[in-house]
């Protein structure tokens, strides 16, 4: 019997799941009743991988599903978050190490790219899509199976939740290569403006 997290299950309560061949996270809840230990096993909710596709069906995020032997349960999509201006500024400094010299540019960029919404997406005229608070494009930076490449090595849907760590990592890669000129929102609204107004009252 498989009792450790991450085990591959062939049967769950006698119901075969080998048709999906998914690797799942096993959830164990241990309780005691009348001095006797009881363990309850449960499977997390997950989506189904689409046939012949790396995408997950329904409203699930998931990363690559892989082939039959490596197929993974799709994870239920996480909720995004809309930041307040100064809340974002402080988090970028305190948690992600942004320096004050460029901070105003980043906050201005986020305002005009996504309105501080981590769940924002935008479909471009060239067929590509932008994701997250920094509107990271899938043609070059995320989802290796889409566009010309995925230089950040991440799935695009990972930029849509309320956790900024992966967005920041990818955004810094883009910035180090192209500067703020990589973002039209910055070019059109922040370049040659006093971006310090976005952060002066935040600290």
């Amino acid at each position: 019997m498989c009792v450790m997290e991450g085990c591959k299950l062939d049967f769950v309560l006698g119901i075969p799941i080998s048709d999906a061949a998914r690797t799942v996270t096993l959830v164990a809840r241990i309780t005691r009743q009348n001095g006797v230990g009881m363990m309850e096993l449960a499977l997390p909710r997950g989506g189904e991988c689409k046939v012949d596709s790396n995408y997950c069906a329904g409203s699930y995020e998931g990363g690559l599903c892989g082939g039959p032997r490596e197929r993974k349960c799709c994870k239920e999509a996480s909720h995004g978050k809309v930041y307040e201006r100064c809340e974002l500024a402080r988090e970028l400094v305190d948690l992600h190490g942004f320096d004050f010299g460029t901070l105003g540019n980043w906050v201005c960029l986020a305002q005009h790219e996504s309105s501080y919404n981590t769940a924002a997406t935008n479909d471009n005229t060239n067929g590509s899509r932008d994701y997250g608070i920094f509107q990271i494009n899938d043609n070059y930076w995320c989802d290796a199976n889409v566009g010309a490449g995925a230089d950040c090595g991440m799935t695009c849907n990972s930029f849509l939740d309320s956790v900024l760590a992966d967005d920041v990592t990818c955004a810094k890669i883009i910035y180090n290569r192209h500067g703020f000129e990589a973002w039209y929102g910055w070019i059109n609204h922040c370049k040659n403006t006093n971006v310090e107004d976005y952060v002066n009252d935040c600290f």
Side-chain angles (χ1 to χ4, degrees), residues 79-128:
H79 295 292
K81 174 179 180 176
V82 179
Y83 277 81
E84 298 293 336
R85 175 175 55 85
C86 284
E87 178 188 17
L88 175 63
R90 287 189 287 265
E91 179 168 331
L92 292 180
V93 171
D94 295 341
L95 298 183
H96 304 293
F98 281 69
D99 64 76
F100 287 100
T102 59
L103 183 62
N105 286 286
W106 285 108
V107 176
C108 179
L109 181 159
Q111 161 66 47
H112 294 287
E113 288 284 352
S114 65
S115 298
Y116 308 128
N117 183 2
T118 69
T121 60
N122 178 66
D123 292 323
N124 301 300
T125 56
N126 66 356
S128 67

Side-chain angles (χ1 to χ4, degrees), residues 128-150:
S128 67
R129 176 174 286 184
D130 303 324
Y131 292 79
I133 197 166
F134 298 121
Q135 290 294 274
I136 295 169
N137 187 264
D138 66 4
N139 207 29
Y140 301 103
W141 306 107
C142 56
D143 281 356
N145 58 322
V146 175

Side-chain angles (χ1 to χ4, degrees), residues 9-54:
L9 300 183
D10 293 322
F11 290 86
V12 178
L13 299 179
I15 302 173
I17 61 170
S18 57
D19 57 327
R22 299 176 299 183
T23 301
V24 300
T25 299
L26 192 63
V27 178
R29 185 183 304 110
I30 300 176
T31 60
R32 295 187 68 83
Q33 294 181 356
N34 299 324
V36 179
M38 306 288 291
M39 183 169 68
E40 176 184 354
L41 303 180
L43 294 175
R45 183 180 178 187
E48 294 293 337
C49 295
K50 292 180 180 178
V51 177
D52 298 325
S53 172
N54 283 328

Side-chain angles (χ1 to χ4, degrees), residues 186-200:
W186 182 86
I187 293 172
N188 294 329
H189 300 282
C190 308
K191 187 177 182 179
N192 299 323
T193 68
N194 185 15
V195 294
E196 298 309 310
D197 287 345
Y198 284 85
V199 297
N200 278 339

